[in-house]
Amino acid sequence: MGVATALLGVGLGLQGIGQIQQGYAASRVAKLNANLYEMQGREASLAAEYNASVSRANAQAMQASAQLDIQRQKKTAESVRGTQVARYAKSGVKLEGSPLAVMIDSAAEAELEQIITQFNADTATSQQEYSALESQRQGRAAVLLAGSQSAQERFAAKTYKTQGWMSGA
């Protein structure tokens, strides 16, 4: 009976030590997971900020491109107007009635093209700016989620240690 009791005591002691070690191991894994969540949150935030920067740069490029297009359209319209005036003058037609109406129509059409170009650029710019804001929102959400998951893992780490000691005691 004495040997059996001693062996039982040794076995229970080893079991307790094993449970304590399991608690510490689980705690270390939980802490590593918490660190991993925090790193993922930071990476997601950096990626989101990069995407937002790209969207803002695209918006600026779209506006610059539109301004160049509008300047090109203005030069083309001026050239067309000059050509029309020269041809009418060469043919001896006075700039009144139908010839004048054609020139006014051409000028109005050119101005409309410029307005459409600016509108399209403004619309595309707004979409890029919204995309930038959405990327930033997603980055903040990723950081919040990572913080929450990290806190859960850190709490679990403490719980595993406590459970290991409680089970091993």
Side-chain angles (χ1 to χ4, degrees), residues 74-159:
K74 285 180 181 180
K75 284 185 180 187
T76 301
E78 289 172 13
S79 177
V80 167
R81 187 179 61 78
T83 301
Q84 286 173 332
V85 168
R87 286 187 180 160
Y88 288 134
K90 182 178 177 182
S91 68
V93 175
K94 293 186 179 186
L95 292 178
E96 54 188 36
S98 292
L100 183 58
V102 168
M103 289 178 61
I104 290 171
D105 187 49
S106 295
E109 196 172 310
E111 187 174 345
L112 180 61
E113 283 299 317
Q114 294 166 21
I115 290 169
I116 289 170
T117 299
Q118 186 62 56
F119 174 79
N120 289 340
D122 290 344
T123 301
T125 298
S126 292
Q127 290 171 343
Q128 289 297 316
E129 289 169 354
Y130 174 79
S131 178
L133 291 173
E134 183 62 19
S135 291
Q136 288 176 320
R137 186 197 63 76
Q138 289 174 353
R140 287 190 299 272
V143 168
L144 290 173
L145 176 62
S148 172
Q149 291 170 322
S150 174
Q152 289 174 353
E153 287 294 328
R154 292 192 189 286
F155 179 76
K158 291 178 182 180
T159 302

Side-chain angles (χ1 to χ4, degrees), residues 16 19-28 30-31 154-169:
Q19 288 174 339
I20 291 170
Q21 287 177 335
Q22 283 178 341
Y24 274 99
S27 175
R28 283 191 298 275
K31 286 179 183 177
R154 292 192 189 286
F155 179 76
K158 291 178 182 180
T159 302
Y160 293 142
K161 277 186 184 177
T162 302
Q163 288 174 344
W165 277 102
M166 298 293 279
S167 299

Side-chain angles (χ1 to χ4, degrees), residues 51-89:
N51 290 340
S53 296
V54 168
S55 292
R56 284 190 291 274
N58 286 343
Q60 290 174 344
M62 288 173 179
Q63 280 297 320
S65 176
Q67 293 308 310
L68 289 174
D69 287 345
I70 289 170
Q71 289 303 316
R72 205 172 305 120
Q73 290 168 352
K74 285 180 181 180
K75 284 185 180 187
T76 301
E78 289 172 13
S79 177
V80 167
R81 187 179 61 78
T83 301
Q84 286 173 332
V85 168
R87 286 187 180 160
Y88 288 134

